[in-house]
Amino acid sequence: MKTHLCLADGRIFAGVSAGLAGETSGEIVFNTSMTGYQEILTDPTYSGQIIVMTYPLIGNYGVNKEDRESLSISARGLIVREICPQPSNYRTEQTLHRYLVDQGIVALSQVDTRALTRHLRLHGSQQGLISLDDDFDRLRARAAALTPTPTPDLIRGITVSARRDLPENPAGPRVALIDFGGRDYLINALHALGCAITLLPPDSTFNDIRQCTPAGVLLSDGPGNPQELPDICRTITQILAQSLPLMGVGLGHQLLGLALGGRVRPLIPGHRGANHPIRGGGRIHITAQNHGFALEGPFTEGTEITHIHLNDKSIEGLACPSRQAFSLQFVPDTQPGPHTTHYLYEHFRDLLLQKGYASHA
Amino acid sequence: MPKHSNIKKVLVIGSGPIIIGQAAEFDYAGTQACRTLQEENVEAVLINSNPATIMTDAPMASRIYLEPLTPETVQAVIAKERPDSLLATLGGQVGLNLAMTLARDGTLERENVRLLGTSLDSIEKAEDRERFKQTMEEIGEPVPESAIVSGIEDALRFARSIGYPVIVRPGYTMGGTGGGVAHDDETLTEIAAKGLTYSINKQLLIERSVAGWKEIEFEVMRDSADTCITICSMENIDPVGIHTGDSIVVAPTQTLSDKDFRMMRQAALSIIRELAIEGGCNIQFALHPYSSQYYVIEVNPRVSRSSALASKATGYPIAKVATRIALGYTLDEIANTVTGATTACFEPSIDYIVAKIPRWPFDKFTGAQRSLGSQMKATGEVMALGRSFSSALLKAIYSLEANFTGLLMESFRAIPLPDLLAKIEKADDERLFLVAEALRRGVSIEQVNKITKIDYFFLNEIAKIVSLEETLSQLTIDNCQLSIPKTAGFSDFQLAHLLNTDETVIARKRREQGIIPGYLMVDTCAGEFPAATPYYYSSFGEEGESRPTDADKILVLGSGPIRIGQGIEFDYCSVHASHAIREMGCQSIVINNNPETVSTDPDTSDRLYFEPLNIENVMSVIDQERPRGVVVQFGGQTAINLAKPLLQRGVAILGTSVEDIDRAENREKFDDLLESLRIPRPKGNLAHSHTEARGIAASLGFPVLVRPSYVLGGRAMEIVYNENDLTDYLAQAVRVSPEHPVLVDRYMLGREVEVDAIADGENVLIPGIMEHLERAGIHSGDSIAIYPPQNLTPELINTLTEYTTRIALALQVKGLLNIQFIIQDDQIYVIEVNPRASRTVPILSKVTGIPMVKLATLVQLGQTLSQQGYSGGLHPKPNLVAVKIPVFSFNKLTDVEPSLGPEMKSTGEVLGLADTLPEAMYKGFLGAGYRIPQSGDILVTLADKDKEEALPHLARLTELGFGLKATNGTAAFLRAHGLPVGEVRKIHEGHPNVIDIIRNKEVVFVVNTLTRGKQPLRDGFQMRRMSVEFNIPCPTSLDTLAGLIYAIEYAKTLSESTPTRIWALQDAVAPQTKAHADLNKG
């Protein structure tokens, strides 16, 4: 079915419906990963976004239950050049098309994704509307009127709504994991390290945190703009004041940066893909990323920049040793992506176990 | 870490002649290495015996040694040049092996030469079978289980312990004789019993067979700071079992889930880390199709064919980055020149599909077994990029230049289904098309998968193309919506075939409908960053991003895949043409599709279009770029064949006009031309039918030389000795028709000479004349050629110069010209005129110092020779002798007849450079891989016609201390003429026979001349094959034997105190500067 994407700036791309036929809107972002479409679709940090895959053939190995990052798709839509109708892999359970339909996701194929990507690179990520409507004037007017979903709304629905103590490793050091949506990798990593975990909703106060008597706090990744979450920033300032071990990843990293006096700026284009080179800890790592904002200094005294992005030199890691806090823009050892940054979790564990602050820079 | 400050002078080892498995990719890598060293202000010293390479051009390194790639020569170069470092990982296996030898024998340490990049220990860990296995086991990376056994019981015990199927490889046999795949105890018993009889050391290697598994490759890089990145992943459409060089390969992987992809990537990175490679590395895996079980099959601790492919596939210049890593830089210190903004430390992301298809030599070796297996047989490859699988695959098919109608081969329609399925099972070079034919006939994808193990994904994609073909064949031009097949990658030619119309009709119609391709960039980053490198591929149905400039632009047509008859020398010419255009202040645009080459390095041109070289794709680029004109003289027959259709479409062909090209190539017009110039040529005529052919032959008298008109590298050219052979030839080798006439010429047994010239319409500059060692009858590409000529009188040279000048002026040649002459009884005849660059241009450019391609290019752009400081006439010969020796790949093609004839068989060449002929001949043979014997026995079997003539040669060999052995006929003849000779049995006479004594290395070389006629004698064929397999020289022409005797004589004069001298090109040849040329004028 002939379907169109209309960007907020009025540019229209034609395609055909490849998932649920219908309408959707959201922030249009491109991802340069060549594999991992299922992981990306089910990554909660894509909440509110319509993902453009730059690799033109998507769905080759189908979809299975094992590889999903969460039970449902958080992204609002998918845009591809071509969707593979007959996937081939021994673990295939469903075609991507079937999966999208089942999940109620609107998707578009046969789109000139290269031109769309170049447009987004030049003009930045923006809101867009996928619709069956072929009245272009009406489409443009509607797309222009789209406003970004407020970050609290993006997060609501993908996080826990109340405190939850996970049963694993009850005797281990307890981590208060403040969940902005991207909790799953972190839970696995912390469990593997022998930590006990208390999940807390994103609007938790310092008091809520203190009540779980954690050995440390972990701020998870999540979607959106950290500036739209001022309350949690205040909470982080309080955690810092107590020098409680604190680790932030993704959105959590940006929140820590704000609490340390920094600012965020939008990235044009955002970092979305599995090939982002990061320098830090005396090494270079290729990381998977999904974010549209980057931190900028100056930060309060005692804050160190520990990791930078090799391409645009943006800040990818911070540390405030005197406060036992550190953060990373990327989620160490995520899927899809390489596994070379596990040492960062170990560093956090060492902080939790009061081994003192050894520079991980 | 920045560059090591103590690196000032680096020795770079090249890979030598082009052979199967080692082609132009190492010129690309070596050229990038030399350029990088220059950029880093490091002095480069280069050794490579292959003259047809860009890397051996004088400006590429401060000292260039066109010398044999032997440890002794490299030692001599080290002693003379005193480099502080050695860069060996860019010269293929040849370079790597030499470096290992020099490291092991202590040369490097003694001479204080540091091995750059990957250490010797790392190389050995990857190369030594046992150490590799052990290293992989240490890091938990699985390699296929294997064991060496010496009995059937042991074989069975081991096979049962690892499970079937297993591969059986007998120890020390050639070409895998006696091996096989066993699926159970019974077949293993049978194969092992046979293998043990073949095995020289009575041992067998039993290894787990992973045939049929997915074959996955990773190109990975590592620097001294232990940063590891993957550049490109590749998946072979043909599963494990067919050499990756003979497989159709796609990038990136298509059928791996993210989880499996990451598993393989992680394994690749662990391996490169454990091996501590500093530079690039290629890792091959076998991945089980129905689980995540995998094995590491092979690691190449160096830049390889796959890395050239990966570089062109992603835009990431692996060799350049590897060179900088070797100099001490880390990945993050190296700029990504493609984006201009980022560093080399990232993993390319691509937003297209890449398909590579090998180019096989079976059009030349018609009798050869076309089946594919573990021994690579392809001479070259093509690559294509597309936004869909079908468009990438189809464009790659068109790039093979066989006028393919996509996946459809009409001739396959007649193959009965059982035969078709049997052929598919056997796996040969045509399997892709056979699979398509099977699917077209309704064979299920499941069944094809069962037979071929080709993944369902690929079969589905092939089926989609076939089904679109079938749909189209039901339509007409009027009711077909052209945008659909165009987006799927169908060519106009293919559409014309399916819609039953003409290609031009399709082209016109789609243009009217605005269906034209957009050109997308290869940018390493899937559009994430703006790219600075203008490297494009076409795509239909998408917005283009190539923005043509208003500059003065010239289009250079490349030469496509490396094949016998059209090799790396044409890439050499294309590259120089592009450089010359840029020097003139114009922009150069290159179209080519060979991923191995320097011409497809985006640095070579202002704009690179990676496209098939057919009229549609070339016209589309022209429509896009609107160049001032097109240069067609440098891309071999591929480019020149496009001249006429381009002209018909209103495109300006620069240089020699299309009409004049036709006058040289069209036999009747050419005869008229020679007639009017009163230049003789061998009598002959053009036959348009069988009867006409027989009539011409009868009037000329046998033997006659027959060939189709418009030939490439002597394809289907034969000497025919009688009427029966002629009838056979006409029935089998060619299809003669009024449109495709056959040339029938008197066969003259004379001395062959070839001349290359540059003409501007007024003056004709002849840089040099090359004389062939072998008399006519052996293709010029397979002949040993000598510069300057040694046996021509001044009168003959004057006449050759005059004829060449006359022909060039009469044809109004503007640019290059090559003429083949034959001299019989001091009479000169013209055999053929090629109005384009020839195979010998790189050699003559190097040995005369005249930049021939540059001059020819500037002439085509409108500058006269005199404006460039040159005048006409024969260039004075320098004080050196250069001998070109052809190099063959017979050991890779086990059933090909190694004797030489009018059909070209060599894949590459080397140059021997010295100041005397014997020395140059010696160096040439050495460079070509011959072991030049000093003593021992020679096996001689001669055709009757050659016996008399052979006597003086054999007498000389006896004097030199060699013994002769012969079968009874030849032996009797030799004895009768007073030569001592030992008699050997023929094959049917029992043991030990001629074959046994070759196999047991009782002879140091074999002289075997062919009896007249085409049918090879079984004995002779087997002797020649056996010589190839045991690497024993086997000249099949007495002229070649004479050359070999020169080399032997020279070798005898060598001693430790007077070794061969080595020459840097810069010492041997003074560059022809303008001042020089002016002097010459006077």
Side-chain angles (χ1 to χ4, degrees):
Chain A
M1 214 177 304
K2 195 99 182 145
T3 309
H4 290 93
L5 162 72
C6 183
L7 295 176
D9 66 13
R11 179 138 185 212
I12 292 175
F13 289 85
V16 298
S17 176
L20 190 74
E23 198 161 89
T24 187
S25 66
E27 185 189 7
I28 313 292
V29 297
F30 67 83
N31 187 304
T32 61
S33 303
M34 294 180 282
T35 52
Y37 50 86
Q38 188 186 351
E39 288 84 346
I40 291 164
L41 279 170
T42 53
D43 178 347
T45 66
Y46 281 94
S47 169
Q49 294 176 329
I50 295 173
I51 304 158
V52 181
M53 295 301 292
T54 59
Y55 187 67
L57 246 180
I58 299 295
N60 295 6
Y61 52 87
V63 170
N64 62 50
K65 285 197 193 73
E66 226 174 294
D67 291 346
R68 61 193 176 190
E69 299 293 330
S70 64
L71 290 176
S72 59
I73 297 179
S74 303
R76 293 217 185 127
L78 178 70
I79 298 174
V80 300
R81 172 75 192 143
E82 185 181 339
I83 200 158
C84 179
Q86 290 148 312
S88 166
N89 189 277
Y90 64 101
R91 296 192 303 138
T92 301
E93 291 168 20
Q94 256 190 319
T95 66
L96 177 58
H97 170 77
R98 189 70 246 164
Y99 178 62
L100 291 168
V101 172
D102 286 357
Q103 292 278 323
I105 299 297
V106 172
L108 205 51
S109 76
Q110 295 181 31
V111 174
D112 185 348
T113 48
R114 169 99 186 160
L116 174 54
T117 299
R118 288 195 296 125
H119 190 84
L120 296 174
R121 173 183 85 212
L122 279 170
H123 304 285
S125 299
Q126 52 188 291
Q127 295 293 308
L129 174 70
I130 295 178
S131 173
L132 297 161
D133 191 351
D134 56 5
D135 181 335
F136 286 3
D137 290 339
R138 192 161 52 210
L139 266 182
R140 286 199 177 95
R142 290 182 59 204
L146 291 170
T147 51
T149 311
T151 303
D153 294 346
L154 290 178
I155 292 174
R156 195 174 304 121
I158 59 169
T159 67
V160 290
S161 50
R163 169 178 167 166
R164 226 167 81 204
D165 292 309
L166 302 184
E168 290 86 352
N169 305 326
R174 181 158 298 274
V175 175
L177 171 52
I178 304 181
D179 178 24
F180 301 98
R183 63 183 173 269
D184 287 354
Y185 317 114
L186 301 174
I187 290 175
N188 293 340
L190 291 178
H191 277 159
L193 289 173
C195 296
I197 299 173
T198 299
L199 283 175
L200 289 172
D203 54 359
S204 301
T205 64
F206 183 61
N207 219 17
D208 296 333
I209 294 167
R210 211 159 40 184
Q211 275 175 9
C212 358
T213 59
V217 180
L218 178 52
L219 308 168
S220 90
D221 191 11
N225 180 348
Q227 281 168 313
E228 295 174 16
L229 302 167
D231 293 348
I232 193 70
C233 276
R234 275 190 293 278
T235 306
I236 294 168
T237 312
Q238 288 171 296
I239 300 170
L240 288 170
Q242 299 294 315
S243 297
L244 193 58
L246 175 65
M247 176 178 179
V249 292
L251 184 69
H253 154 79
Q254 294 173 357
L255 289 167
L256 175 66
L258 292 180
L260 289 169
R263 302 179 299 126
V264 291
R265 61 178 167 91
L267 281 169
I268 299 178
H271 292 162
R272 291 181 185 88
N275 64 346
H276 290 268
I278 307 302
R279 191 200 335 250
R283 300 195 78 145
I284 292 168
H285 307 286
I286 303 294
T287 66
Q289 305 219 345
N290 167 33
H291 62 107
F293 292 91
L295 274 176
E296 276 184 330
F299 300 100
T300 52
E301 218 179 291
T303 307
E304 299 163 5
I305 294 170
T306 58
H307 291 71
I308 59 147
H309 197 294
L310 275 184
N311 288 351
D312 59 11
K313 312 290 180 256
S314 62
I315 296 168
E316 289 276 338
L318 285 179
C320 188
S322 61
R323 299 287 170 212
Q324 298 211 75
F326 74 102
S327 66
L328 303 151
Q329 178 60 69
F330 56 96
V331 187
D333 284 8
T334 54
Q335 298 180 28
H339 287 199
T340 55
T341 48
H342 194 258
Y343 73 99
L344 292 162
Y345 292 115
E346 288 161 16
H347 174 68
F348 184 53
R349 182 194 54 195
D350 293 348
L351 286 182
L352 298 176
L353 296 175
Q354 301 297 313
K355 284 193 184 162
Y357 194 97
S359 176
H360 70 282
Chain B
M1 199 199 300
K3 190 177 90 181
H4 301 307
S5 56
N6 50 357
I7 302 176
K8 307 266 187 247
K9 193 171 185 180
V10 175
L11 175 63
V12 180
I13 306 183
S15 69
I18 307 290
I19 48 171
I20 288 176
Q22 195 152 274
E25 60 269 17
F26 298 109
D27 189 27
Y28 166 56
T31 301
Q32 278 204 341
C34 289
R35 283 208 187 112
T36 305
L37 292 175
Q38 278 174 351
E39 283 167 22
E40 294 293 338
N41 292 315
V42 173
E43 192 182 344
V45 176
L46 173 70
I47 173 162
N48 190 359
S49 54
N50 186 346
T53 51
I54 290 290
M55 71 189 294
T56 53
D57 268 347
M60 292 307 300
S62 69
R63 312 284 289 160
I64 286 167
Y65 288 89
L66 267 166
E67 296 283 348
L69 287 169
T70 62
E72 295 75 27
T73 326
V74 181
Q75 275 167 355
V77 173
I78 290 174
K80 190 167 160 196
E81 294 291 343
R82 313 224 57 85
D84 52 58
S85 312
L86 170 63
L87 187 54
T89 46
L90 295 149
Q93 198 61 38
V94 166
L96 204 61
N97 289 348
L98 273 171
M100 281 200 287
T101 307
L102 296 171
R104 286 198 193 114
D105 72 9
T107 306
L108 297 187
E109 202 184 340
R110 195 174 56 244
E111 303 280 348
N112 264 320
V113 178
R114 159 188 192 163
L115 187 61
L116 293 183
T118 305
S119 71
L120 178 71
D121 187 55
S122 296
I123 295 170
E124 283 178 340
K125 262 190 192 171
E127 296 277 309
D128 180 275
R129 199 186 158 81
E130 275 311 304
R131 284 196 69 190
F132 178 68
K133 207 170 150 182
Q134 194 190 332
T135 309
M136 290 303 104
E137 273 160 14
E138 276 164 24
I139 58 168
E141 291 299 341
V143 289
E145 300 88 337
S146 65
I148 289 166
V149 299
S150 41
I152 293 172
E153 274 310 308
D154 288 349
L156 288 170
R157 203 170 303 123
F158 180 71
R160 287 177 197 140
S161 76
I162 60 165
Y164 287 98
V166 295
I167 301 173
V168 183
R169 292 197 179 97
Y172 298 96
T173 57
M174 299 289 166
T177 318
V181 177
H183 293 272
D184 47 38
D185 280 5
E186 195 184 331
T187 48
L188 178 58
T189 308
E190 190 185 315
I191 294 171
K194 200 173 78 188
L196 283 168
T197 64
Y198 279 98
S199 170
I200 284 170
N201 61 357
K202 301 299 164 207
Q203 286 186 337
L204 302 173
L205 176 77
I206 312 284
E207 186 181 80
R208 172 190 291 281
S209 165
V210 286
W213 290 31
K214 294 182 186 196
E215 189 164 353
I216 307 292
E217 288 182 70
F218 274 84
E219 285 297 318
V220 280
M221 300 205 80
R222 179 182 172 276
D223 65 19
S224 56
D226 203 27
T227 300
C228 303
I229 53 169
T230 60
I231 305 303
C232 188
S233 67
M234 290 172 264
E235 180 168 3
N236 292 11
I237 292 184
D238 302 294
V240 177
I242 295 179
H243 192 286
T244 177
D246 275 352
S247 293
I248 300 174
V249 176
V250 293
T253 57
Q254 299 296 323
T255 70
L256 267 56
S257 69
D258 188 57
K259 197 175 157 203
D260 288 344
F261 178 84
R262 271 184 293 111
M263 173 182 75
M264 310 287 355
R265 176 183 177 277
Q266 195 56 50
L269 295 181
S270 308
I271 292 167
I272 192 173
R273 193 159 267 149
E274 180 61 26
L275 293 175
I277 303 289
E278 287 180 31
C281 173
N282 163 264
I283 304 175
Q284 291 165 26
F285 296 102
L287 174 64
H288 193 275
Y290 300 107
S291 77
S292 55
Q293 193 192 358
Y294 69 87
Y295 287 103
V296 184
I297 317 178
E298 195 177 314
V299 173
N300 286 307
R302 55 173 172 85
V303 166
S304 64
R305 177 183 53 259
S306 291
S307 40
L309 180 66
S311 294
K312 302 293 166 63
T314 60
Y316 188 101
I318 293 174
K320 213 191 273 185
V321 173
T323 306
R324 287 214 159 81
I325 289 176
L327 290 177
Y329 289 103
T330 51
L331 282 160
D332 55 317
E333 293 169 337
I334 302 167
N336 175 352
T337 46
V338 176
T339 62
T342 53
T343 75
C345 186
F346 79 114
E347 303 199 336
S349 179
I350 61 179
D351 57 0
Y352 45 82
I353 290 115
V354 181
K356 172 215 98 175
I357 306 185
R359 173 64 162 86
W360 288 280
F362 303 123
D363 53 335
K364 291 280 175 193
F365 301 127
T366 43
Q369 274 222 24
R370 304 173 83 122
S371 62
L372 305 177
S374 56
Q375 171 59 59
M376 181 172 166
K377 294 180 176 176
T379 54
E381 62 192 29
V382 295
M383 179 184 96
L385 305 102
R387 289 273 287 167
S388 63
F389 182 89
S390 61
S391 64
L393 184 72
L394 288 169
K395 277 205 282 179
I397 290 170
Y398 306 139
S399 298
L400 293 169
E401 288 171 46
N403 259 346
F404 282 113
T405 47
L407 288 173
L408 176 68
M409 284 234 197
E410 288 293 348
S411 59
F412 290 175
R413 288 194 190 270
I415 303 176
L417 191 59
D419 297 0
L420 190 70
L421 296 178
K423 271 173 92 83
I424 289 173
E425 186 158 14
K426 240 174 61 188
D428 64 14
D429 60 311
E430 296 174 322
R431 181 160 79 166
L432 175 64
F433 304 95
L434 293 161
V435 163
E437 179 62 25
L439 295 173
R440 196 173 291 120
R441 301 230 198 133
V443 177
S444 71
I445 285 175
E446 288 72 23
Q447 194 181 349
V448 178
N449 166 268
K450 217 172 140 199
I451 298 173
T452 61
K453 304 284 187 287
I454 296 175
D455 195 278
Y456 279 88
F457 173 83
F458 301 116
L459 294 174
N460 278 320
E461 288 287 341
I462 293 168
K464 261 165 51 184
I465 298 172
V466 169
S467 122
L468 184 52
E469 268 173 23
E470 295 298 291
T471 310
L472 288 164
S473 62
Q474 308 299 316
L475 300 175
T476 68
I477 178 83
D478 299 314
N479 61 11
C480 172
Q481 201 186 331
L482 290 173
S483 63
I484 294 169
K486 290 309 289 180
T487 305
F490 282 50
S491 69
D492 290 353
F493 180 83
Q494 182 182 3
L495 282 173
H497 180 83
L498 293 168
L499 298 171
N500 216 350
T501 178
D502 192 73
E503 187 180 357
T504 53
V505 175
I506 303 277
R508 190 169 51 236
K509 174 117 187 216
R510 69 170 172 81
R511 281 210 190 88
E512 280 164 20
Q513 296 176 355
I515 304 171
I516 56 165
Y519 289 93
L520 309 187
M521 267 182 136
V522 173
D523 60 8
T524 70
C525 60
E528 188 177 355
F529 304 101
T533 303
Y535 168 12
Y536 301 98
Y537 67 96
S538 64
S539 177
F540 279 88
E542 290 183 302
E543 181 186 279
E545 52 195 294
S546 159
R547 300 275 169 268
T549 61
D550 294 330
D552 187 9
K553 290 173 286 193
I554 307 294
L555 175 61
V556 179
L557 298 182
S559 57
I562 301 275
R563 63 205 98 162
I564 292 174
Q566 191 165 301
I568 188 174
E569 52 279 352
F570 298 105
D571 200 69
Y572 173 93
C573 293
S574 303
V575 170
H576 277 277
S578 178
H579 288 167
I581 289 164
R582 296 173 95 174
E583 271 177 48
M584 280 291 281
C586 301
Q587 286 197 352
S588 82
I589 303 165
V590 168
I591 307 181
N592 201 0
N593 49 47
N594 182 345
E596 300 166 343
T597 56
V598 180
S599 73
T600 52
D601 182 339
D603 293 350
T604 296
S605 54
D606 290 296
R607 273 159 187 262
L608 167 67
Y609 286 86
F610 217 101
E611 292 283 291
L613 282 159
N614 59 29
I615 187 66
E616 173 189 347
N617 295 74
V618 172
M619 269 317 288
S620 293
V621 172
I622 291 172
D623 287 343
Q624 165 82 11
E625 289 283 353
R626 302 256 152 238
R628 188 200 331 163
V630 182
V631 167
V632 297
Q633 290 182 11
F634 304 115
Q637 207 60 36
T638 297
I640 208 114
N641 286 349
L642 284 164
K644 199 169 172 182
L646 285 173
L647 181 76
Q648 284 164 349
R649 286 161 177 80
V651 177
I653 303 297
L654 300 183
T656 314
S657 74
V658 172
E659 199 184 321
D660 289 320
I661 293 172
D662 194 49
R663 278 168 76 204
E665 293 196 331
N666 178 299
R667 182 52 183 269
E668 277 152 352
K669 291 179 188 168
F670 183 60
D671 283 355
D672 292 346
L673 175 79
L674 288 186
E675 188 101 350
S676 70
L677 296 174
R678 290 191 307 282
I679 297 175
R681 57 166 218 82
K683 283 205 171 58
N685 224 326
L686 208 53
H688 299 86
S689 69
H690 287 214
T691 336
E692 225 175 278
R694 275 191 291 270
I696 297 166
S699 72
L700 295 173
F702 287 99
V704 291
L705 188 69
V706 281
R707 62 190 151 142
S709 48
Y710 287 88
V711 288
L712 178 64
R715 195 163 62 81
M717 189 191 288
E718 250 171 59
I719 300 163
V720 169
Y721 290 88
N722 52 50
E723 177 119 15
N724 278 348
D725 284 358
L726 179 65
T727 310
D728 283 355
Y729 174 83
L730 293 171
Q732 287 161 20
V734 291
R735 208 168 291 143
V736 57
S737 69
E739 296 81 50
H740 302 101
V742 167
L743 297 170
V744 184
D745 288 327
R746 199 178 121 210
Y747 169 57
M748 302 179 80
L749 190 76
R751 183 175 296 284
E752 264 194 86
V753 166
E754 67 183 297
V755 178
D756 285 293
I758 308 142
D760 61 7
E762 286 170 26
N763 283 303
V764 181
L765 170 65
I766 301 171
I769 296 173
M770 292 192 90
E771 177 187 355
H772 293 183
L773 179 66
E774 288 89 355
R775 279 160 291 185
I778 291 181
H779 190 278
S780 65
D782 286 352
S783 301
I784 293 174
I786 303 160
Y787 169 82
Q790 306 290 306
N791 301 297
L792 302 185
T793 60
E795 293 73 37
L796 283 172
I797 286 178
N798 280 342
T799 313
L800 286 167
T801 306
E802 205 210 302
Y803 280 180
T804 304
T805 308
R806 242 194 264 167
I807 291 172
L809 291 177
L811 283 175
Q812 283 294 299
V813 169
K814 292 192 180 63
L816 281 166
L817 171 81
N818 166 272
I819 307 181
Q820 314 259 338
F821 293 99
I822 199 162
I823 303 174
Q824 196 176 42
D825 305 327
D826 281 346
Q827 177 72 254
I828 298 175
Y829 303 85
V830 172
I831 316 179
E832 66 179 67
V833 172
N834 297 304
R836 55 166 172 84
S838 75
R839 201 171 294 113
T840 39
V841 164
I843 296 176
L844 282 173
S845 299
K846 270 166 208 178
V847 298
T848 62
I850 297 176
M852 293 169 65
V853 177
K854 181 180 170 183
L855 297 190
T857 306
L858 297 195
V859 163
Q860 292 177 67
L861 295 185
Q863 280 207 18
T864 62
L865 283 169
S866 64
Q867 280 169 326
Q868 299 183 56
Y870 287 85
S871 57
L874 177 63
H875 187 69
K877 59 183 185 193
N879 260 339
L880 56 76
V881 179
V883 173
K884 177 212 85 173
I885 309 252
V887 175
F888 303 87
S889 299
F890 293 135
N891 57 342
K892 317 274 165 150
L893 300 158
T894 48
D895 51 355
V896 164
E897 165 61 74
S899 74
L900 303 182
E903 176 115 27
M904 183 166 164
K905 294 179 176 176
S906 60
T907 51
E909 63 196 22
V910 293
L911 201 66
L913 212 53
D915 53 8
T916 64
L917 179 64
E919 186 177 357
M921 196 69 84
Y922 168 78
K923 283 181 167 185
F925 274 114
L926 213 56
Y930 287 75
R931 284 177 305 200
I932 294 161
Q934 307 280 325
S935 61
D937 284 349
I938 299 164
L939 175 62
V940 190
T941 60
L942 299 168
D944 288 342
K945 65 171 166 44
D946 300 316
K947 282 182 177 148
E948 202 68 46
E949 196 188 329
L951 276 177
H953 296 309
L954 298 177
R956 179 68 186 134
L957 285 167
T958 314
E959 275 167 41
L960 288 167
F962 289 90
L964 301 179
K965 289 192 171 184
T967 50
N968 55 14
T970 306
F973 176 81
L974 295 180
R975 257 195 308 270
H977 289 81
L979 288 176
V981 61
E983 209 166 310
V984 190
R985 288 195 183 95
K986 287 184 178 164
I987 297 173
H988 64 266
E989 294 170 347
H991 296 278
N993 58 33
V994 282
I995 298 300
D996 298 322
I997 66 167
I998 298 173
R999 189 186 305 198
N1000 298 335
K1001 305 213 167 185
E1002 288 170 34
V1003 287
V1004 290
F1005 70 91
V1006 175
V1007 180
N1008 172 255
T1009 66
L1010 260 67
T1011 29
R1012 264 183 197 166
K1014 198 188 163 194
Q1015 205 58 279
L1017 255 175
R1018 280 324 288 176
D1019 273 29
F1021 176 74
Q1022 285 194 42
M1023 278 167 51
R1024 293 188 289 274
R1025 280 304 325 174
M1026 201 51 76
S1027 309
V1028 166
E1029 276 157 29
F1030 285 85
N1031 194 20
I1032 292 171
C1034 178
T1036 59
S1037 139
L1038 294 177
D1039 300 323
T1040 318
L1041 175 64
L1044 199 54
I1045 292 174
Y1046 269 129
I1048 292 170
E1049 285 172 339
Y1050 178 77
K1052 293 239 174 216
T1053 68
L1054 292 175
S1055 66
E1056 219 144 281
S1057 54
T1058 56
T1060 8
R1061 287 161 310 155
I1062 48 168
W1063 296 45
L1065 197 58
Q1066 284 86 351
D1067 295 339
V1069 183
Q1072 295 298 304
T1073 58
K1074 197 170 183 309
H1076 256 91
D1078 287 342
L1079 276 178
N1080 293 340
K1081 253 195 265 181

